Amino acid sequence: MKHFLFLTFFIYCLSVNAQKQIYTDFYPGKLWFDTEGDIINAHGGGILYYEGTYYWFGEHKGEFSNAALVGVTCYSSKDLYNWTFERIVLPVSDDPNSPIVRGSVIERPKVIYNKKTDTFVMYFHLELKGEGYNAAHVGMAISKQAAGPYTLVRNSRVNAGKWPANLKEEQKKENPDDAWMLKKGWTPEWLKAVEDGLFVRHHFKEGQMSRDMTLYVDDDDKAYHIYASEDNATIQIAELTDDYQNYTGKYIRIFPATHNEAPTIFKKDGTYWMITSGCTGWKPNEARMFSAPSIWGPWIQHSNPCQGKDAELTFHTQGTYILPVHGQKNMFIFMADRWCPDNPIDGRYVWLPVLFENGIPVLKWVNKWHITE
Ligand code: GAL
């Protein structure tokens, strides 16, 4: 009997840990298990490199809903292939009055480290429970440890009472009389009005909308929040204060009224490259790419960086972050999600190397790859 119990326990352990494995390669689109053998649950994620360790923050997703039922997850790794679950770093709240109550929407969390205050700062897209995607808030949380836990500091729209640096004087009207135009979605006259600052004006007092987002820390330690604003019609780039916990008030709009989402950014040899998606919800579409000599522009558009089969659908994914590999000057990883809205937990991660052809970033599908010098 004793032997039988031991054998049963042994078989149970084997089956529970059946997926434990040591990775030496990336397998884009395949199930990816953490060091305990559980499937990694960190969607719409971003990565922080801090003192020799990478920290992957992402959305915990369940089987039936895309709403936040658990919170923001964090995994750590030394090699980018093998990830250890740290904890739920920003758990949803049970308090119905909390902005991050269970059932709110918490998407695309990103964390950066502030040297001046020795603090880790997380920004994420927040939608208030029961309000669909109308709140368009950014949430900000801080921690003294990379792997959390993080405390929510505030949630709001962006830069209330401030005009973008690249809005013309005649476009700045605090009490615009064209509110009726806001609902004329996607008609040519609406697109023209949006380009002309329709949403910027109407959201001037409460602040600009902020949905899909990323953060970027430049070589001079200045940090930026880059987000889909103006009801997803326009990407805005906003400078953060020295402690990264607020906005300086300086921000610009880029490519207004052209509907870019899922902004990702990196810098190589002094050029800033941004890869975004179009606006088709969970369905994949063709990536767009832009470059600029300064974060403030001028930004120019390039063709789709993806090449080969399914390039027009970004290989059935949508970008979430571009990771510079530590210690390697020219190695960047394009991190993307293959969303699965009917069973969100089954969304897959697709990480691809950013290749360069004549200095221009290119993305090509590979089934398996690893980082080489
Ligand atoms: C996508 C966006 C996701 C999520 C989704 C909701 O376009 O990139 O992060 O917000 O829409 O439909």
Side-chain angles (χ1 to χ4, degrees), residues 14-160:
L14 270 185
S15 63
V16 165
N17 292 328
Q19 304 292 1
K20 258 193 184 179
Q21 53 189 295
I22 294 173
Y23 291 101
T24 49
D25 294 280
F26 298 112
Y27 296 87
K30 291 275 182 283
L31 285 177
W32 197 348
F33 298 91
D34 69 12
T35 49
E36 288 304 308
D38 297 318
I39 294 171
I40 295 175
N41 198 334
H43 308 264
I47 289 185
L48 165 79
Y49 176 81
Y50 178 72
E51 293 192 341
T53 302
Y54 292 96
Y55 296 88
W56 177 356
F57 300 88
E59 309 160 23
H60 179 283
K61 287 199 184 282
E63 286 173 12
F64 306 108
S65 163
N66 271 294
L69 302 177
V70 174
V72 175
T73 54
C74 174
Y75 295 78
S76 65
S77 172
K78 297 274 183 201
D79 62 8
L80 292 170
Y81 307 108
N82 299 285
W83 292 91
T84 300
F85 177 66
E86 290 284 341
R87 57 155 67 84
I88 305 297
V89 284
L90 185 72
V92 292
S93 170
D94 288 322
D95 173 359
N97 296 317
S98 166
I100 54 168
V101 62
R102 195 181 312 278
S104 57
V105 171
I106 296 177
E107 292 182 340
R108 298 181 178 269
K110 306 287 180 294
V111 173
I112 52 180
Y113 172 66
N114 186 268
K115 288 180 197 156
K116 280 204 171 131
T117 59
D118 188 23
T119 304
F120 297 87
V121 186
M122 175 192 293
Y123 280 65
F124 58 93
H125 170 198
L126 175 70
E127 295 295 346
L128 303 175
K129 186 175 177 185
E131 296 186 22
Y133 274 75
N134 291 323
H137 277 195
V138 59
M140 196 273 286
I142 56 172
S143 177
K144 282 290 178 188
Q145 287 92 35
Y150 285 73
T151 310
L152 181 70
V153 176
R154 52 149 221 283
N155 61 287
S156 63
R157 288 200 171 171
V158 177
N159 274 324

Side-chain angles (χ1 to χ4, degrees), residues 11 38 51 73 84 92 129 141-142 192 211 214 237 274 317 322 335-336 338 353:
I11 291 171
D38 297 318
E51 293 192 341
T73 54
T84 300
V92 292
K129 186 175 177 185
I142 56 172
K192 178 76 198 67
R211 293 200 184 111
T214 193
I237 303 179
M274 190 186 293
T317 76
I322 295 176
M335 296 167 48
R338 185 169 283 171

Side-chain angles (χ1 to χ4, degrees), residues 59 105 107-108 125 133 212 232 261-262 277-282 318 339:
E59 309 160 23
V105 171
E107 292 182 340
R108 298 181 178 269
H125 170 198
Y133 274 75
D212 282 7
N232 295 341
E261 280 195 315
S277 73
C279 245
T280 51
W282 300 116
Q318 186 180 32
W339 302 117

